[in-house]
Amino acid sequence: MSNEKIISAIKKAAQDAGVKLTLDPSTYESTLKSLNVDSLNAMSIIINTEKALKVRLPDEDLATLKTLGDLIHSFEKQVK
């Protein structure tokens, strides 16, 4: 699966959660908090992205997610 499909799924999940995310390389190092994504919205984005990609992120990955890039990388590991 391409990186573009992962990013598209995250963007759609964010929109469904009512969160506007700019998903481009300049924001990958931004923390979710700095992007105005609270913990409830983050979980909604993760769950909806998991459903869209038909994968499940391991709990240890969830515990360490800090940046948008961390989220993308975690999904990349699972879809390979």
Side-chain angles (χ1 to χ4, degrees), residues 1-68:
M1 179 175 299
S2 73
N3 193 26
E4 289 178 16
K5 288 186 181 183
I6 293 168
I7 291 171
S8 177
I10 293 171
K11 185 180 282 189
K12 170 111 174 58
Q15 288 172 343
D16 291 348
V19 177
K20 185 178 181 199
L21 281 180
T22 302
L23 290 160
D24 61 56
S26 68
T27 61
Y28 290 178
E29 294 304 314
S30 300
T31 63
L32 295 173
K33 185 176 181 177
S34 73
L35 296 170
N36 297 318
V37 178
D38 64 24
S39 58
L40 183 59
N41 285 335
M43 287 310 301
S44 180
I45 292 167
I46 291 167
I47 290 166
N48 289 332
T49 304
E50 287 176 332
K51 288 178 184 176
L53 299 176
K54 296 179 174 65
V55 298
R56 178 144 166 85
L57 294 183
D59 290 340
E60 55 271 7
D61 281 6
L62 295 175
T64 61
L65 293 177
K66 300 273 187 263
T67 68
L68 188 54

